[in-house]
């Protein structure tokens, strides 16, 4: 902090000495349609410096704004890609859930069909037993 203060004071002292030694130096300044006669060189230097600052400030801010715009565009593109990936992941997850439900439904249907087949087999075996217990119509028993 103190180093900056000493540097600033030294710069002002150098500027003051420069201005003091050049106060008697005069020049003519031509601005397009008008010519100023006997203008001190120091005023010309300071005026040129101020105009340079006034021109540089908007350029700096425009450069920063363009840089921010590029960053915003890049962030927007990254977010768009991220959203697309998330949407694809959600879609794949829903498809997996749909496949799982379909497999579960098929398993239930197969279980129902198996139970139905077992009942039918029991019913047929029961009918076969009953038919064995009763004599056939073709056979006749005769006792003498």
């Amino acid at each position: 902090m103190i180093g900056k203060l000493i540097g600033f004071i030294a710069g002002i002292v150098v500027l003051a000495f420069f201005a003091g030694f050049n106060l008697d130096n005069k020049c003519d300044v031509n601005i397009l349609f008008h010519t100023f006669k006997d203008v001190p060189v120091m005023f010309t230097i300071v005026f040129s410096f101020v105009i340079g600052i006034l021109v540089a400030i908007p350029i700096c801010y425009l450069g920063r704004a363009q840089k921010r715009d590029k960053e915003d565009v890049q962030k927007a593109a990254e977010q768009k890609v991220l959203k697309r990936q998330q949407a694809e992941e959600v879609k794949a997850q829903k498809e997996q859930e749909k496949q799982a439900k379909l497999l579960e439904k098929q398993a239930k249907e197969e279980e129902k069909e198996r139970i139905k087949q077992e009942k039918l087999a029991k019913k047929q075996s029961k009918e076969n037993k009953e038919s064995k217990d009763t004599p056939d119509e073709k056979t006749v028993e005769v006792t003498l």
Side-chain angles (χ1 to χ4, degrees):
M1 179 78 175
I2 292 177
K4 286 184 182 181
L5 179 62
I6 292 172
F8 181 73
I9 291 172
I12 295 294
V13 168
V14 169
L15 184 63
F17 276 116
F18 182 75
F21 287 121
N22 288 306
L23 281 178
D24 359 335
N25 294 334
K26 306 220 186 252
C27 64
D28 293 341
V29 177
N30 185 4
I31 301 177
L32 297 178
F33 302 109
H34 185 68
T35 302
F36 296 100
K37 302 271 186 193
D38 295 326
V39 178
V41 172
M42 191 60 201
F43 290 142
T44 306
I45 292 171
V46 170
F47 186 72
S48 299
F49 182 73
V50 169
I51 288 181
I53 290 174
L54 293 176
V55 169
I57 288 174
I59 291 172
C60 290
Y61 283 116
L62 288 174
R64 287 183 185 172
Q66 288 177 351
K67 184 177 179 181
R68 273 191 241 127
D69 288 343
K70 287 179 182 179
E71 290 173 356
D72 291 344
V73 168
Q74 185 178 7
K75 284 180 183 178
E78 289 172 358
Q79 289 177 351
K80 188 175 180 180
V81 168
L82 183 62
K83 284 181 182 180
R84 186 178 297 146
Q85 288 175 347
Q86 289 174 345
E88 289 174 0
E89 288 174 2
V90 167
K91 186 177 178 181
Q93 186 178 11
K94 285 182 180 181
E95 186 66 30
Q96 288 177 349
E97 290 174 0
K98 187 177 178 181
Q99 291 293 331
K101 285 181 182 180
L102 182 64
L103 289 173
E104 185 178 319
K105 185 177 178 181
Q106 288 177 346
K108 284 182 181 180
E109 288 177 0
E110 289 174 359
E111 182 67 22
K112 285 180 183 179
E113 187 65 30
R114 186 186 58 79
I115 291 172
K116 188 176 179 181
Q117 292 295 331
E118 287 178 359
K119 285 182 181 180
L120 185 61
K122 284 181 183 179
K123 186 176 181 181
Q124 287 176 352
S125 67
K126 188 176 183 182
E127 288 177 359
N128 285 341
K129 284 183 183 179
E130 287 177 1
S131 66
K132 287 182 182 178
D133 291 342
T134 58
D136 290 337
E137 296 177 4
K138 293 181 183 177
T139 55
V140 178
E141 288 185 23
V142 179
T143 36
L144 293 172

